[in-house]
Amino acid sequence: MVAFRKVFIVTHHPKTVMASGYIVNRGVLTFGIHYQHVSRNVLLTHTREKKRWMKAYTLLMERKLKIEGPPPPKPRAQKPNWDYHAEVQAFSSRLKESFSPELLKTAFVNPCYIQSEQERRQALGVDSEMAALVLGDNIQLHRQGLVFTKSFLSDWCRASFPSLPSMGVVAIVAHLTSHPVVCLVAQNLAIEDLTMSAQFPVPDEVLHSTFLAVIGALHESSGAERAGFFLRDFLVTQLVGKDLFEMWSVVNPMGLLVEELSKRNRALPEPRLTRSAGAGTVLPLYFVGLYSDKKLLAEAPGETVLAAEEEAARVALRKLYGYTENRRPCDFSAAAQPQAPGLQSFSSS
Amino acid sequence: MSSFTKSAQQWATFARSWYLIDARMQPPGKIATMCAIRLQGKHKPIYHALSDVGDHVVVMNSRHIAFSGNKWEQKMYSSHTQYPGGFKQVTATQLHSKDPKAIVKLAVYGMLPRNLSRRTMMQRLHLFPEDDLPEDILLNLTEELPQPREIPRRLNEYSQEEREAFPTLWTPPEDYRRK
């Protein structure tokens, strides 16, 4: 083994500095050894030498960050590389929908933005006759979108879950059109970046109404079928992994079950303890089965017998309404039959 | 499993069960393997050594276990009192007469992993020499496990009809004298 010393050559003349970031064996020069024993601990950067001011600068910036906290978020429109018209076109082609450009641009304009723009212009002293603000509102489109969305979602629910009562359908539609769900979808579709509103970050209300206005614009541009597919692909898919009773809060599941069974002319449910574990301990488990006319409806676990019975009633309701975890998944394939809302109703589950 | 509420599903998954094993006429080693598997939690798909997912096991009739072969006379259990001359060796019979639970206990102890969880798992093993179990244990039980060994019947446990129906190679004549 040839003994060699690892040396980091440091000079002030930039030309004599070796390949930056590598610790090179000086033996290469003296003994003509044609291998290099390089250490990979040091980062290879594309600078010529270590900057003496870098460390002080980074420490100062970190101290400033600690004192002032993180910088406030900036809207995408105020960041570099932004062309509104191009973005709007890209929005429609990215979603493979043909929006009419004026309708789409109108859909993004909120009344709060128009108000704030007018106030700004007045404050700047711009003559309102000289530079009139010719921007339409999205209130009309929002109303259209809301009506269409609610009707489409209700029809879809009724078609997929024919035995679900109207209260359940209302609950599911309310969940899907609620602020958290709609704002999540809108943020991930880049509608938040394209919205024109007075405040940033865009408030939930405004984002919600913008999304519905976009749906309204789609409905006007491409028709009900395309808008229906859009809602199915982006809004209905938010149901994945959701349980029925997470969206629909039922206070008395046993009472509801009794009602449902009496509607279908079946015997009333009788609860029986199926199995138990650790009944005398502080962490018991009971499995209660509900039997209608000596046939098992549903079985469910619980901490106490009463909790297990209530849970069994919920499971029985889920089975009756066809909202179980092992139901046939919804058909999102391209060749699926289009649903004309209100005209046809078929079970796709 | 099928569409429970998330909290109910979690409670049922992580609950600790109580298993009952009847050790009458069973080899203690087979009993011990069944116990060890369930005490560690290896019968569950959520098993992890650090997760403490083991269940309770109640073994009854440990006085009536049945060693195969000559193990009652030949199997030796050793211990040392740590004092000089304190090495003691006893046969299985002697140990069993002194403490009817010891054989099963030592068998299970030897089959558990050699780590700090072993003592906790042994605390969850409940041994009873006879089949009279206390009330609180009876309340907790979930399930009885099937016995590992099929108990053969004695001749006097077969009925006369079964004995006659059993196929014979030949019937000896009336005056046949056995040596």
Side-chain angles (χ1 to χ4, degrees):
Chain A
M1 273 291 280
V2 176
F4 56 83
R5 275 175 301 160
K6 278 187 258 182
V7 170
F8 188 54
I9 301 163
V10 176
T11 57
H12 293 291
H13 193 18
K15 282 196 186 146
T16 55
V17 172
M18 305 281 272
S20 64
Y22 279 157
I23 299 176
V24 181
N25 180 14
R26 207 165 63 169
V28 172
L29 303 169
T30 44
F31 300 122
I33 304 167
H34 297 289
Y35 75 94
Q36 271 188 333
H37 182 79
V38 289
S39 161
R40 302 215 182 275
N41 300 341
V42 183
L43 213 68
L44 174 64
T45 49
H46 295 290
T47 48
R48 280 207 268 188
E49 51 192 4
K50 266 171 102 166
K51 304 281 184 273
R52 301 183 74 212
W53 47 264
M54 187 61 85
K55 184 175 176 185
Y57 176 72
T58 36
L59 285 175
L60 269 171
M61 294 307 281
E62 273 168 33
R63 220 174 289 157
K64 182 169 166 243
L65 191 69
K66 236 196 238 178
I67 296 170
E68 291 176 8
K74 268 202 304 185
R76 179 68 185 83
Q78 288 167 17
K79 291 185 191 166
N81 293 331
W82 177 259
D83 177 6
Y84 190 72
H85 180 73
E87 291 291 338
V88 169
Q89 274 190 322
F91 178 81
S92 80
S93 51
R94 185 171 57 228
L95 296 170
K96 298 200 176 78
E97 305 281 357
S98 53
F99 283 93
S100 108
E102 310 85 38
L103 272 179
L104 188 56
K105 287 193 181 171
T106 328
F108 286 124
V109 175
N110 290 294
C112 53
Y113 174 76
I114 296 181
Q115 234 183 347
S116 74
E117 263 296 303
Q118 278 178 337
E119 277 162 20
R120 206 168 62 92
R121 286 181 187 206
Q122 277 181 351
L124 287 172
V126 175
D127 200 2
S128 61
E129 286 169 7
M130 289 282 291
L133 197 59
V134 192
L135 277 179
D137 243 329
N138 67 1
I139 299 184
Q140 178 68 11
L141 285 170
H142 165 234
R143 278 199 210 114
Q144 278 183 324
L146 185 63
V147 160
F148 175 74
T149 310
K150 287 219 150 103
S151 75
F152 176 82
L153 288 176
S154 317
D155 292 327
W156 182 89
C157 273
R158 273 180 229 280
S160 321
F161 308 108
S163 29
L164 193 60
S166 20
M167 275 178 50
V169 173
V170 162
I172 294 181
V173 170
H175 170 260
L176 284 177
T177 49
S178 66
H179 286 338
V181 171
V182 166
C183 291
L184 179 74
V185 176
Q187 275 162 357
N188 286 303
L189 285 177
I191 291 178
E192 193 185 5
D193 296 336
L194 290 166
T195 342
M196 297 215 260
S197 81
Q199 290 169 299
F200 186 82
V202 182
D204 280 353
E205 270 281 347
V206 173
L207 194 52
H208 186 253
S209 57
T210 317
F211 181 82
L212 291 172
V214 168
I215 302 288
L218 181 59
H219 182 62
E220 287 240 7
S221 323
S222 324
E225 195 185 311
R226 291 298 303 174
F229 278 141
F230 185 90
L231 281 176
R232 184 199 68 173
D233 292 338
F234 289 106
L235 220 47
V236 169
T237 44
Q238 297 297 315
L239 279 181
V240 166
K242 275 268 176 200
D243 183 38
L244 179 62
F245 296 115
E246 279 174 31
M247 302 181 284
W248 177 23
S249 67
V250 168
V251 180
N252 184 15
M254 193 51 114
L256 190 57
L257 179 65
V258 165
E259 266 182 48
E260 288 290 325
L261 288 177
S262 45
K263 258 192 251 180
R264 289 150 215 250
N265 289 325
R266 290 171 65 174
L268 295 183
E270 293 173 6
R272 295 281 183 271
L273 185 67
T274 330
R275 52 185 95 203
S276 70
T281 58
V282 293
L283 302 169
L285 173 72
Y286 300 97
F287 268 83
V288 164
L290 287 177
Y291 291 84
S292 154
D293 195 20
K294 301 208 178 57
K295 271 194 229 135
L296 185 67
L297 274 181
E299 192 188 13
E303 297 171 51
T304 57
V305 191
L306 290 169
E309 195 187 321
E310 194 201 311
E311 184 56 37
R314 281 183 199 271
V315 175
L317 283 171
R318 283 192 199 105
K319 281 190 180 164
L320 283 174
Y321 297 148
Y323 207 99
T324 51
E325 273 177 24
N326 57 356
R327 64 180 183 272
R328 196 175 197 86
C330 309
D331 192 10
F332 289 107
S333 59
Q337 285 289 325
Q339 289 185 50
L343 288 177
Q344 303 168 20
S345 63
F346 56 91
S347 58
S348 61
S349 61
Chain B
M1 214 164 62
S2 64
S3 19
F4 296 146
T5 317
K6 301 278 190 289
S7 56
Q9 172 70 67
Q10 188 179 32
W11 187 266
T13 314
F14 291 99
R16 219 178 292 262
S17 317
W18 287 66
Y19 292 103
L20 179 66
I21 301 179
D22 187 356
R24 183 178 283 279
M25 295 297 282
Q26 304 298 313
K30 291 216 161 97
I31 296 288
T33 42
M34 290 169 67
C35 292
I37 290 171
R38 279 157 187 84
L39 287 169
Q40 289 172 74
K42 288 204 150 172
H43 62 299
K44 296 182 176 175
I46 50 161
Y47 167 78
H48 190 274
L50 301 172
S51 296
D52 193 20
V53 287
D55 289 332
H56 291 256
V57 179
V58 176
V59 179
M60 64 180 190
N61 287 324
S62 69
R63 181 172 272 135
H64 304 282
I65 49 173
F67 266 121
S68 57
N70 295 329
K71 289 192 205 128
W72 285 114
E73 280 73 42
Q74 291 175 348
K75 188 169 175 64
M76 299 299 276
Y77 287 89
S78 349
S79 60
H80 202 297
T81 59
Q82 303 285 321
Y83 287 99
F87 184 60
K88 223 179 194 175
Q89 276 189 310
V90 283
T91 55
T93 332
Q94 289 166 324
L95 182 64
H96 196 62
S97 59
K98 264 220 170 122
D99 178 13
K101 306 198 276 189
I103 291 183
V104 180
K105 187 165 169 198
L106 287 168
V108 176
Y109 192 75
M111 294 195 188
L112 291 175
R114 313 285 192 272
N115 55 28
L116 291 172
S117 326
R118 182 161 58 165
R119 297 270 163 165
T120 332
M121 291 182 222
M122 286 304 287
Q123 284 190 321
R124 296 198 180 121
L125 174 70
H126 311 272
L127 296 164
F128 297 95
E130 305 289 348
D131 56 6
D132 52 342
L133 304 176
E135 280 287 336
D136 42 0
I137 302 276
L138 279 174
L139 267 180
N140 291 342
L141 293 173
T142 321
E143 183 182 8
E144 181 169 359
L145 300 174
Q147 291 188 306
R149 172 199 185 222
E150 199 191 301
I151 306 175
R153 283 195 282 174
R154 290 192 302 270
L155 187 60
N156 61 356
E157 284 170 7
Y158 283 93
S159 62
Q160 190 58 33
E161 295 86 20
E162 279 173 317
R163 267 191 265 186
E164 279 156 21
F166 200 84
T168 51
L169 194 56
W170 67 296
T171 33
E174 296 288 310
D175 53 354
Y176 188 77
R177 207 179 72 161
R178 290 170 213 268
K179 277 200 235 160

